[in-house]
Amino acid sequence: MANYNAVTLGLPESGKTAYLSCAMSYLVRYDEKWQLQNANRDFLNMMNDTEDIMRGGAWPDKTRSNNKLEFKVEGNAVTINDWMGEMFEALDDFKPIATALRK
């Protein structure tokens, strides 16, 4: 059994959690390898809620806390840390430094 870890990275409201939820919903529905085992309740709820919201023509609310999503696929343990985009807003402060370094 292998352990896989991933982190979602991106600016606020860029669609990280929505993309993750939709991608996982698709895999679970159409790829028999992705039958989730031992998935935590938060992950399953997020995946199902996001799909319902988007089917209704809306965009899900922004992620308000960092989420740790854990599940097993084909006996492999998968952990996804879904970080809030606000954690990366400070990166915008580095633009003047990057511009100065290019000169």
Side-chain angles (χ1 to χ4, degrees):
M1 175 172 90
N3 293 314
Y4 296 97
N5 293 294
V7 176
T8 61
L9 302 174
L11 294 174
E13 299 182 40
S14 60
K16 298 173 298 297
T17 303
Y19 176 81
L20 175 65
S21 297
C22 291
M24 294 303 300
S25 292
Y26 181 87
L27 289 169
V28 168
R29 188 169 286 123
Y30 297 109
D31 187 340
E32 68 273 357
K33 296 176 188 174
W34 282 83
Q35 298 308 309
L36 301 181
Q37 303 162 7
N38 302 326
N40 67 358
R41 179 76 46 205
D42 292 340
F43 178 81
L44 295 173
N45 288 340
M46 180 196 72
M47 191 172 73
N48 293 328
D49 291 347
T50 301
E51 184 176 0
D52 290 344
I53 291 166
M54 294 184 81
R55 280 181 186 231
W59 196 253
D61 290 337
K62 60 187 289 153
T63 303
R64 304 230 179 260
S65 63
N66 296 337
N67 298 308
K68 188 173 188 177
L69 312 169
E70 299 174 316
F71 54 94
K72 290 187 178 180
V73 177
E74 290 192 314
N76 298 309
V78 179
T79 301
I80 300 175
N81 290 291
D82 185 26
W83 289 4
M84 297 182 304
E86 285 74 13
M87 297 184 74
F88 303 96
E89 283 182 321
L91 293 176
D92 192 45
D93 295 342
F94 292 106
K95 285 182 182 175
I97 294 171
T99 303
L101 291 174
R102 281 190 223 127
K103 291 182 179 180

